[in-house]
Short mmCIF file of all heavy atoms in Angstrom, two decimals:
data_model
loop_
_atom_site.label_atom_id
_atom_site.label_comp_id
_atom_site.label_asym_id
_atom_site.label_seq_id
_atom_site.Cartn_x
_atom_site.Cartn_y
_atom_site.Cartn_z
N ALA A 1496 247.35 -88.89 235.38
CA ALA A 1496 248.40 -89.52 234.59
C ALA A 1496 249.72 -89.54 235.36
O ALA A 1496 250.46 -90.53 235.34
CB ALA A 1496 248.56 -88.79 233.25
N GLN A 1497 250.02 -88.43 236.03
CA GLN A 1497 251.24 -88.37 236.84
C GLN A 1497 251.21 -89.43 237.94
O GLN A 1497 252.21 -90.10 238.20
CB GLN A 1497 251.39 -86.99 237.46
CG GLN A 1497 252.04 -85.97 236.54
CD GLN A 1497 252.39 -84.70 237.31
OE1 GLN A 1497 251.74 -84.34 238.29
NE2 GLN A 1497 253.42 -84.01 236.86
N GLN A 1498 250.08 -89.56 238.59
CA GLN A 1498 249.93 -90.56 239.65
C GLN A 1498 250.13 -91.97 239.11
O GLN A 1498 250.59 -92.86 239.83
CB GLN A 1498 248.55 -90.43 240.30
CG GLN A 1498 248.33 -89.14 241.07
CD GLN A 1498 246.90 -88.99 241.55
OE1 GLN A 1498 246.12 -89.94 241.53
NE2 GLN A 1498 246.53 -87.79 241.99
N GLU A 1499 249.77 -92.17 237.84
CA GLU A 1499 249.91 -93.49 237.23
C GLU A 1499 251.31 -93.72 236.67
O GLU A 1499 251.58 -94.76 236.08
CB GLU A 1499 248.87 -93.64 236.12
CG GLU A 1499 247.44 -93.67 236.64
CD GLU A 1499 246.41 -93.66 235.53
OE1 GLU A 1499 246.79 -93.43 234.35
OE2 GLU A 1499 245.22 -93.87 235.81
N GLY A 1500 252.18 -92.74 236.82
CA GLY A 1500 253.56 -92.89 236.34
C GLY A 1500 253.75 -92.58 234.87
O GLY A 1500 254.79 -92.90 234.30
N LEU A 1501 252.75 -91.94 234.26
CA LEU A 1501 252.85 -91.57 232.85
C LEU A 1501 253.48 -90.19 232.74
O LEU A 1501 253.19 -89.31 233.55
CB LEU A 1501 251.47 -91.58 232.19
CG LEU A 1501 250.71 -92.90 232.27
CD1 LEU A 1501 249.30 -92.73 231.71
CD2 LEU A 1501 251.45 -93.99 231.51
N ARG A 1502 254.33 -90.00 231.76
CA ARG A 1502 255.00 -88.72 231.55
C ARG A 1502 254.48 -88.10 230.27
O ARG A 1502 254.85 -88.52 229.16
CB ARG A 1502 256.51 -88.91 231.49
CG ARG A 1502 257.11 -89.50 232.78
CD ARG A 1502 258.61 -89.64 232.67
NE ARG A 1502 259.19 -90.23 233.87
CZ ARG A 1502 260.49 -90.49 234.02
NH1 ARG A 1502 261.34 -90.19 233.03
NH2 ARG A 1502 260.94 -91.04 235.12
N VAL A 1503 253.59 -87.13 230.42
CA VAL A 1503 252.98 -86.50 229.25
C VAL A 1503 252.96 -84.99 229.41
O VAL A 1503 253.00 -84.48 230.54
CB VAL A 1503 251.53 -87.00 229.04
CG1 VAL A 1503 251.51 -88.48 228.72
CG2 VAL A 1503 250.67 -86.70 230.26
N ARG A 1504 252.92 -84.31 228.29
CA ARG A 1504 252.71 -82.86 228.27
C ARG A 1504 251.57 -82.56 227.31
O ARG A 1504 251.48 -83.18 226.23
CB ARG A 1504 253.98 -82.13 227.82
CG ARG A 1504 255.12 -82.20 228.83
CD ARG A 1504 256.19 -81.17 228.53
NE ARG A 1504 256.92 -81.46 227.31
CZ ARG A 1504 257.58 -80.55 226.59
NH1 ARG A 1504 257.56 -79.27 226.97
NH2 ARG A 1504 258.24 -80.89 225.50
N THR A 1505 250.70 -81.64 227.70
CA THR A 1505 249.59 -81.25 226.84
C THR A 1505 249.82 -79.86 226.28
O THR A 1505 250.46 -79.02 226.90
CB THR A 1505 248.26 -81.25 227.63
OG1 THR A 1505 248.39 -80.39 228.77
CG2 THR A 1505 247.89 -82.65 228.09
N GLY A 1506 249.28 -79.64 225.10
CA GLY A 1506 249.42 -78.34 224.47
C GLY A 1506 248.86 -78.37 223.06
O GLY A 1506 247.89 -79.10 222.79
N TYR A 1507 249.48 -77.61 222.17
CA TYR A 1507 249.01 -77.51 220.80
C TYR A 1507 250.16 -77.72 219.83
O TYR A 1507 251.29 -77.29 220.07
CB TYR A 1507 248.38 -76.13 220.55
CG TYR A 1507 247.16 -75.88 221.42
CD1 TYR A 1507 247.28 -75.23 222.64
CD2 TYR A 1507 245.90 -76.33 221.02
CE1 TYR A 1507 246.17 -75.01 223.44
CE2 TYR A 1507 244.79 -76.12 221.82
CZ TYR A 1507 244.93 -75.46 223.03
OH TYR A 1507 243.83 -75.27 223.84
N TRP A 1508 249.86 -78.40 218.74
CA TRP A 1508 250.82 -78.57 217.66
C TRP A 1508 250.87 -77.24 216.91
O TRP A 1508 249.84 -76.77 216.42
CB TRP A 1508 250.37 -79.71 216.76
CG TRP A 1508 251.37 -80.13 215.73
CD1 TRP A 1508 252.59 -79.58 215.46
CD2 TRP A 1508 251.21 -81.23 214.82
NE1 TRP A 1508 253.22 -80.27 214.44
CE2 TRP A 1508 252.39 -81.27 214.02
CE3 TRP A 1508 250.20 -82.15 214.60
CZ2 TRP A 1508 252.57 -82.23 213.02
CZ3 TRP A 1508 250.38 -83.10 213.60
CH2 TRP A 1508 251.55 -83.15 212.82
N ASN A 1509 252.02 -76.63 216.84
CA ASN A 1509 252.16 -75.28 216.30
C ASN A 1509 252.19 -75.29 214.77
O ASN A 1509 253.19 -74.97 214.13
CB ASN A 1509 253.44 -74.63 216.86
CG ASN A 1509 253.47 -73.14 216.59
OD1 ASN A 1509 252.45 -72.52 216.37
ND2 ASN A 1509 254.67 -72.57 216.60
N ILE A 1510 251.05 -75.67 214.21
CA ILE A 1510 250.85 -75.67 212.77
C ILE A 1510 249.50 -75.01 212.49
O ILE A 1510 248.78 -74.65 213.43
CB ILE A 1510 250.84 -77.10 212.19
CG1 ILE A 1510 249.78 -77.94 212.91
CG2 ILE A 1510 252.22 -77.74 212.28
CD1 ILE A 1510 249.57 -79.32 212.31
N LYS A 1511 249.16 -74.84 211.22
CA LYS A 1511 247.87 -74.27 210.88
C LYS A 1511 246.76 -75.14 211.48
O LYS A 1511 246.76 -76.36 211.36
CB LYS A 1511 247.72 -74.21 209.36
CG LYS A 1511 246.46 -73.50 208.90
CD LYS A 1511 246.41 -73.41 207.38
CE LYS A 1511 245.15 -72.70 206.92
NZ LYS A 1511 245.09 -72.60 205.43
N GLY A 1512 245.82 -74.51 212.14
CA GLY A 1512 244.74 -75.24 212.80
C GLY A 1512 245.02 -75.50 214.26
O GLY A 1512 244.10 -75.70 215.05
N LYS A 1513 246.30 -75.57 214.62
CA LYS A 1513 246.75 -75.77 216.00
C LYS A 1513 245.91 -76.82 216.76
O LYS A 1513 245.23 -76.51 217.75
CB LYS A 1513 246.76 -74.45 216.76
CG LYS A 1513 247.87 -73.51 216.28
CD LYS A 1513 247.97 -72.27 217.11
CE LYS A 1513 249.24 -71.49 216.80
NZ LYS A 1513 249.45 -71.18 215.38
N PRO A 1514 245.97 -78.09 216.32
CA PRO A 1514 245.24 -79.13 217.03
C PRO A 1514 245.88 -79.41 218.39
O PRO A 1514 247.08 -79.14 218.60
CB PRO A 1514 245.37 -80.34 216.11
CG PRO A 1514 246.66 -80.12 215.38
CD PRO A 1514 246.74 -78.63 215.17
N ILE A 1515 245.10 -79.95 219.29
CA ILE A 1515 245.64 -80.38 220.58
C ILE A 1515 246.69 -81.46 220.34
O ILE A 1515 246.55 -82.33 219.48
CB ILE A 1515 244.53 -80.92 221.49
CG1 ILE A 1515 243.63 -79.77 221.96
CG2 ILE A 1515 245.10 -81.66 222.70
CD1 ILE A 1515 242.45 -80.22 222.79
N ALA A 1516 247.77 -81.39 221.10
CA ALA A 1516 248.82 -82.39 221.02
C ALA A 1516 249.17 -82.88 222.42
O ALA A 1516 249.23 -82.09 223.37
CB ALA A 1516 250.07 -81.82 220.33
N ILE A 1517 249.37 -84.17 222.53
CA ILE A 1517 249.92 -84.77 223.74
C ILE A 1517 251.27 -85.36 223.38
O ILE A 1517 251.36 -86.20 222.47
CB ILE A 1517 249.00 -85.87 224.31
CG1 ILE A 1517 247.65 -85.30 224.73
CG2 ILE A 1517 249.67 -86.58 225.49
CD1 ILE A 1517 246.65 -86.35 225.21
N LEU A 1518 252.31 -84.88 224.03
CA LEU A 1518 253.64 -85.45 223.82
C LEU A 1518 253.94 -86.46 224.92
O LEU A 1518 253.70 -86.19 226.10
CB LEU A 1518 254.70 -84.35 223.79
CG LEU A 1518 254.60 -83.34 222.65
CD1 LEU A 1518 255.85 -82.47 222.61
CD2 LEU A 1518 254.38 -84.03 221.30
N VAL A 1519 254.47 -87.60 224.51
CA VAL A 1519 254.68 -88.72 225.42
C VAL A 1519 256.17 -88.97 225.60
O VAL A 1519 256.88 -89.25 224.63
CB VAL A 1519 253.99 -90.00 224.89
CG1 VAL A 1519 254.22 -91.17 225.83
CG2 VAL A 1519 252.50 -89.75 224.69
N ASP A 1520 256.64 -88.86 226.82
CA ASP A 1520 258.01 -89.20 227.17
C ASP A 1520 258.03 -90.67 227.60
O ASP A 1520 257.40 -91.05 228.58
CB ASP A 1520 258.49 -88.30 228.31
CG ASP A 1520 259.88 -88.69 228.84
OD1 ASP A 1520 260.55 -89.53 228.20
OD2 ASP A 1520 260.25 -88.17 229.90
N PHE A 1521 258.74 -91.48 226.83
CA PHE A 1521 258.79 -92.92 227.12
C PHE A 1521 260.15 -93.37 227.64
O PHE A 1521 260.41 -94.56 227.79
CB PHE A 1521 258.43 -93.72 225.86
CG PHE A 1521 259.31 -93.40 224.66
CD1 PHE A 1521 260.46 -94.13 224.41
CD2 PHE A 1521 258.99 -92.36 223.80
CE1 PHE A 1521 261.27 -93.84 223.32
CE2 PHE A 1521 259.80 -92.05 222.72
CZ PHE A 1521 260.95 -92.79 222.47
N SER A 1522 261.02 -92.40 227.94
CA SER A 1522 262.40 -92.74 228.30
C SER A 1522 262.48 -93.57 229.58
O SER A 1522 263.40 -94.38 229.76
CB SER A 1522 263.24 -91.47 228.45
OG SER A 1522 262.72 -90.63 229.47
N HIS A 1523 261.52 -93.38 230.51
CA HIS A 1523 261.58 -94.12 231.77
C HIS A 1523 261.25 -95.60 231.58
O HIS A 1523 261.48 -96.39 232.49
CB HIS A 1523 260.62 -93.51 232.79
CG HIS A 1523 259.19 -93.46 232.35
ND1 HIS A 1523 258.78 -92.75 231.24
CD2 HIS A 1523 258.06 -94.01 232.87
CE1 HIS A 1523 257.46 -92.87 231.10
NE2 HIS A 1523 257.02 -93.64 232.08
N TYR A 1524 260.74 -95.96 230.40
CA TYR A 1524 260.45 -97.37 230.14
C TYR A 1524 261.69 -98.14 229.66
O TYR A 1524 261.63 -99.36 229.51
CB TYR A 1524 259.34 -97.51 229.10
CG TYR A 1524 257.96 -97.20 229.64
CD1 TYR A 1524 257.15 -96.25 229.02
CD2 TYR A 1524 257.46 -97.86 230.75
CE1 TYR A 1524 255.89 -95.94 229.51
CE2 TYR A 1524 256.21 -97.57 231.25
CZ TYR A 1524 255.42 -96.61 230.63
OH TYR A 1524 254.17 -96.33 231.11
N ILE A 1525 262.77 -97.40 229.41
CA ILE A 1525 263.98 -98.10 228.94
C ILE A 1525 264.45 -99.12 229.97
O ILE A 1525 264.87 -100.24 229.61
CB ILE A 1525 265.10 -97.07 228.63
CG1 ILE A 1525 264.71 -96.21 227.44
CG2 ILE A 1525 266.43 -97.78 228.35
CD1 ILE A 1525 265.66 -95.07 227.14
N SER A 1526 264.34 -98.77 231.23
CA SER A 1526 264.77 -99.72 232.28
C SER A 1526 263.85 -100.93 232.37
O SER A 1526 264.21 -101.94 232.97
CB SER A 1526 264.82 -99.00 233.64
OG SER A 1526 263.53 -98.52 234.00
N GLU A 1527 262.67 -100.83 231.77
CA GLU A 1527 261.71 -101.94 231.79
C GLU A 1527 261.58 -102.61 230.43
O GLU A 1527 260.64 -103.37 230.18
CB GLU A 1527 260.33 -101.42 232.23
CG GLU A 1527 260.29 -100.77 233.59
CD GLU A 1527 258.92 -100.17 233.89
OE1 GLU A 1527 257.91 -100.76 233.47
OE2 GLU A 1527 258.87 -99.10 234.53
N LYS A 1528 262.53 -102.34 229.54
CA LYS A 1528 262.36 -102.79 228.16
C LYS A 1528 262.25 -104.31 228.04
O LYS A 1528 261.48 -104.82 227.22
CB LYS A 1528 263.48 -102.27 227.26
CG LYS A 1528 264.87 -102.81 227.54
CD LYS A 1528 265.88 -102.19 226.58
CE LYS A 1528 267.29 -102.68 226.83
NZ LYS A 1528 267.45 -104.13 226.59
#
């Protein structure tokens, strides 16, 4: 994903059950809006 220019973080949503969460940073797309 990094090689493809995607900005993501993996981890867990800190709630009951703690499902996997991927957080997506889209700020670098502002210049391409």
Side-chain angles (χ1 to χ4, degrees):
Q1497 276 190 331
Q1498 294 173 13
E1499 294 173 350
L1501 303 174
R1502 299 181 182 178
V1503 296
R1504 291 196 291 158
T1505 56
Y1507 297 94
W1508 189 356
N1509 193 22
I1510 56 173
K1511 186 177 180 180
K1513 290 185 168 53
I1515 289 176
I1517 297 176
L1518 296 190
V1519 180
D1520 174 11
F1521 56 92
S1522 61
H1523 58 299
Y1524 285 125
I1525 293 174
S1526 62
E1527 301 175 35
K1528 67 181 179 64

